[in-house]
Amino acid sequence: MDKPDFDPKVINNLKLLAEKYAADGQDLNVHLEGLLHTSYTKYWDYIHLDTLLSLQKPKTEHADEMIFIVYHQITELYFKMVLHELKQLKESEKVDADFFIKKVNRVNWYFGQLIESFDIISVGLEQDQFLKFRSALHPASGFQSVQYRLVEIASTDFINLVSPASKDKFEDEYATIEEMYEEIYWKKGAIDTHTGKKTLTLRLFEEKYTNLLIRMANEYKFKNLYSVYKRLPSDVQKDAQLIASMKKFDTLVNINWPLAHYKYAVRYLHKGPQDVASTGGTNWQKYLPPRFQKQIFFPSLYALEEIENWGKSWVETEVLNKRPAMS
Ligand code: HEM
């Protein structure tokens, strides 16, 4: 009988596989036989393309609503990638400078892409159509994006998400997440200006996500990006490149993305002397701009003056069209 002419690499792989399966009490032969019946992986199955493309369901006949839905979904997928990186920092037993900086640079890249791509809204969405189909979406709002809230929770100590007016209440370091959660900044934004009560958008969001948000906030309490940074060796904490990457993350998430978004809220909801009410019912002109929110993830990295001027240069160049003075 002819000897089968196997490449030594094949023999070696078979040996390795036999070891792998034996370690789990499995029979290599059974698994090899299984391979005979397995079909090839196909692109469309692997990425679940049919399911993915079945998830865009406009509520109206206006063609541009499709673009509105798809771009929200794209953003949510990017948020998912950001959370995936931050979760790895949370779960790593030991984080060194290299791993830390790689993760921060990745999330910076993802947020950078989101900011760059926000202009898709102006290319793909006629204001006329938006103002019509949006009435079919009440009271849904991007305000209800739970992943956006989770990115915040995974990035900083919870106290930094508390509304500035309430922070003093929690000076004592034993304040619980549950106590602070009541005073989180975005709850303050979603109060009906006429009645002083929580908007329906907020109430529905709380009903669905309060438990999850509190659980995640407890999980990230000592494992969020900021606290992982504060546990790095002190010489690493002072590394200029690392600090620059963290400040970039803070700026991208807390100034540049919110302002790219705000620019379109203004453009699409500003109509004549009176602005159009948002679907989420916030006092959005006051609530959205970061100059008012002053959300800062890593406060210890800034001089007082930088905090005072948070978001100012972007507003001057992008909104008011003032170029910075040449030195
Ligand atoms: C024409 C385009 C858009 C307009 C006019 C708009 C308008 C608004 C307004 C007015 C708010 C404040 C809450 C409210 O009162 O509803 C808001 C919040 C929000 N929107 Fe949009 N939005 C647009 C596109 C997007 C897109 C594409 C995303 C991507 C997911 C998004 C995500 C969010 C998030 C995360 C918030 C909460 C922000 C915060 O709490 O600081 N929006 N939006």
Side-chain angles (χ1 to χ4, degrees), residues 20-21 34 63 103 143 155-156 159 195 208 238 268 280:
K20 171 188 157 164
Y21 285 120
K103 294 290 154 198
F143 178 89
S155 300
T156 191
I159 186 70
T195 62
K208 171 134 176 89
K238 288 186 200 121
Y268 282 77

Side-chain angles (χ1 to χ4, degrees), residues 68 71-72 75 118 121 125 130 141-143 145 148-149 185 257 261 264-265 268-269 278-282 284 287-288:
F68 190 69
Y71 188 61
H72 275 83
T75 306
F118 220 113
I121 291 287
L125 187 60
F130 172 71
S141 161
F143 178 89
S145 164
Y148 187 75
R149 306 302 173 206
Y185 82 92
W257 189 87
H261 170 261
Y264 286 109
Y268 282 77
L269 293 175
S278 64
T279 50
T282 64
W284 60 270
Y287 170 68
L288 286 179

Side-chain angles (χ1 to χ4, degrees), residues 275-324:
D275 283 340
V276 182
S278 64
T279 50
T282 64
N283 184 4
W284 60 270
Q285 301 90 331
K286 281 240 158 67
Y287 170 68
L288 286 179
R291 282 283 286 150
F292 298 108
Q293 289 296 334
K294 269 203 183 156
Q295 234 23 79
I296 301 177
F297 287 158
F298 318 122
S300 65
L301 300 185
Y302 302 96
L304 205 61
E305 200 196 340
E306 290 177 283
I307 294 184
E308 296 276 299
N309 293 326
W310 192 247
K312 190 173 163 205
S313 63
W314 201 99
V315 174
E316 282 176 348
T317 50
E318 301 291 324
V319 182
L320 304 176
N321 250 333
K322 283 190 202 161
R323 295 289 137 200

